[in-house]
Amino acid sequence: MNSTGTNEDLSTINASTTPMTQNRIEYNFIRCILLVITTLLLLTLNPLCLVVLRHVHSIQKKTKIFLRSMTVADLGVGLFRALPMTVLVISETEHIGDALCKVLAYADSILIFSPQMSLLLLTVDRYISVVHALRYPSLVTVKRARISICCLWGAVVLMITGYGFTTHRKTAYIKYIPACMFQPNSSKPYVQIVYSSIAVGTLLVILAAYARLFMISRHQARAIQVENQIAQPGNPAVRPNNKALKTVLIIVLTASVANLLPVCALLLLKSAHPIAALFTYVLPVLTNSWLNVVIYYLRNQDFRRVTHDLLISNYRSCKRCMPFAAN
């Protein structure tokens, strides 16, 4: 249902994708359960990740800055996308106020781009560390990393503000998602194309950079193997440790799937079944925003150790605070 008025396409989406009466209870139940679980994961794992990163010493400070930016963006997805969705689904809200819809649409649009852009900066950081390993400490400093993050968020905010002006700040509440979105200006289709191209182009650049990094890594590994065989013939070849690079690649691949699925879903939005839309448009981005923390945990031994120690320490502290705890 359109909260501000006039866009026929978004209104048609609401009308054509509302579940039939006999399936409404089952659909809402499935949607509520999935959104509640996803929201809880987003609002617990991402703050935990921020605390753990503070105590992990095996990750460089400069890389931590980019990881924190990604985690803050993922936490924002939980606060400004997943949580409002969950509340609207549980309350079965038919309409929301124009002002609130504008705020949600603005925040949601920022949070679509922020994780990708943070991932792009992390990719640049990894690329420089491999291609220009000797100059990396001087090229990427803590101060420059912080400045780049501030510029990144500022650029995203300005970009979304400009997009809002091109739509004349008109938003629509799409009940079956549920979410508020800016209404595309039909007289300026190129604007939508440009912003979609930025999102897809960012992911393609990241994938191309990691393809290049793995080619360089393989070439270096072969060169080291040849040198070792010449210096110490008969010794088994030592495989290089590319675990950090592979970890970020896994994050890139999951982010690519999570962001490209909604783009494909939007192309079929009018004819998609609500359950299909839930799994192709709503859940991929939300799931990716907590799955990153799980990837950090599984791929980094120091991250696992610090997480375990913090949880055990907090559990013991809470146990001592309980009045019925054993002396």
Side-chain angles (χ1 to χ4, degrees):
M1 192 66 66
N2 192 337
S3 65
T4 58
T6 61
N7 189 276
E8 294 181 1
D9 290 338
L10 294 179
S11 299
T12 304
I13 290 171
N14 278 332
S16 62
T17 55
T18 303
M20 300 297 289
T21 304
Q22 59 268 27
N23 298 325
R24 184 175 179 180
I25 296 178
E26 291 84 353
Y27 170 69
N28 283 341
F29 178 76
I30 294 173
R31 193 165 58 160
C32 285
I33 293 297
L34 292 175
L35 284 176
V36 167
I37 293 173
T38 302
T39 302
L40 289 175
L41 288 171
L42 283 167
L43 298 181
T44 54
L45 292 182
N46 284 300
L48 175 63
C49 181
L50 289 173
V51 176
V52 172
L53 284 174
R54 184 182 181 90
H55 295 85
V56 172
H57 301 294
S58 62
I59 303 175
Q60 297 186 41
K61 289 183 179 180
K62 295 163 282 191
T63 305
K64 281 184 184 181
I65 294 173
F66 302 120
L67 291 175
R68 287 193 188 107
S69 176
M70 283 183 56
T71 306
V72 169
D74 290 336
L75 180 59
V77 170
L79 290 172
F80 297 104
R81 190 170 195 172
L83 186 59
M85 279 185 179
T86 304
V87 173
L88 292 171
V89 167
I90 293 175
S91 61
E92 297 187 0
T93 302
E94 297 286 340
H95 306 276
I96 64 176
D98 182 44
L100 178 59
C101 195
K102 289 183 188 301
V103 171
L104 292 178
Y106 186 72
D108 187 67
S109 299
I110 291 175
L111 295 169
I112 287 175
F113 284 97
S114 297
Q116 294 181 32
M117 297 303 179
S118 297
L119 187 56
L120 178 61
L121 288 183
L122 180 61
T123 301
V124 173
D125 173 72
R126 294 297 85 205
Y127 188 88
I128 295 175
S129 69
V130 173
V131 178
H132 304 286
L134 297 178
R135 298 177 58 197
Y136 174 73
S138 60
L139 290 175
V140 183
T141 63
V142 173
K143 182 179 180 179
R144 288 178 179 177
R146 288 172 178 167
I147 292 174
S148 63
I149 289 295
C150 293
C151 292
L152 161 73
W153 282 89
V156 172
V157 170
L158 289 175
M159 186 169 62
I160 299 304
T161 302
Y163 180 71
F165 278 107
T166 64
T167 63
H168 304 292
R169 299 184 299 279
K170 292 182 179 179
T171 56
Y173 172 55
I174 304 177
K175 179 186 173 184
Y176 84 99
I177 291 181
C180 286
M181 295 182 179
F182 285 113
Q183 295 184 13
N185 191 337
S186 58
S187 64
K188 298 178 181 179
Y190 61 87
V191 175
Q192 191 75 12
I193 295 174
V194 168
Y195 280 84
S196 300
S197 299
I198 292 174
V200 176
T202 300
L203 293 174
L204 294 178
V205 168
I206 293 172
L207 289 173
Y210 276 100
R212 172 65 176 163
L213 286 178
F214 270 99
M215 290 177 62
I216 294 174
S217 177
R218 178 177 294 184
H219 177 75
Q220 291 176 346
R222 289 177 179 175
I224 293 173
Q225 182 178 353
V226 171
E227 291 178 1
N228 288 339
Q229 290 297 325
I230 295 174
Q232 299 176 340
N235 286 351
V238 179
R239 298 181 62 183
N241 185 10
N242 292 325
K243 192 171 184 179
L245 195 60
K246 292 178 181 178
T247 299
V248 183
L249 178 62
I250 293 173
I251 296 173
V252 170
L253 293 176
T254 56
S256 300
V257 173
N259 287 280
L260 291 177
L261 265 180
V263 173
C264 297
L266 280 175
L267 299 176
L268 304 172
L269 206 54
K270 289 185 180 180
S271 58
H273 189 277
I275 292 293
L278 176 67
F279 283 97
T280 58
Y281 183 79
V282 177
L283 289 180
V285 175
L286 300 185
T287 301
N288 180 67
S289 293
W290 62 260
L291 192 59
N292 288 337
V293 182
V294 177
I295 294 173
Y296 300 155
Y297 181 85
L298 294 177
R299 300 287 300 178
N300 190 298
Q301 183 177 359
D302 198 19
F303 193 96
R304 288 197 300 272
R305 180 187 59 78
V306 172
T307 302
H308 181 267
D309 292 345
L310 283 175
L311 292 176
I312 293 297
S313 176
N314 289 331
Y315 170 75
R316 290 174 178 172
S317 298
C318 292
K319 192 174 180 181
R320 284 196 297 267
C321 293
M322 299 219 176
F324 52 83
N327 294 328

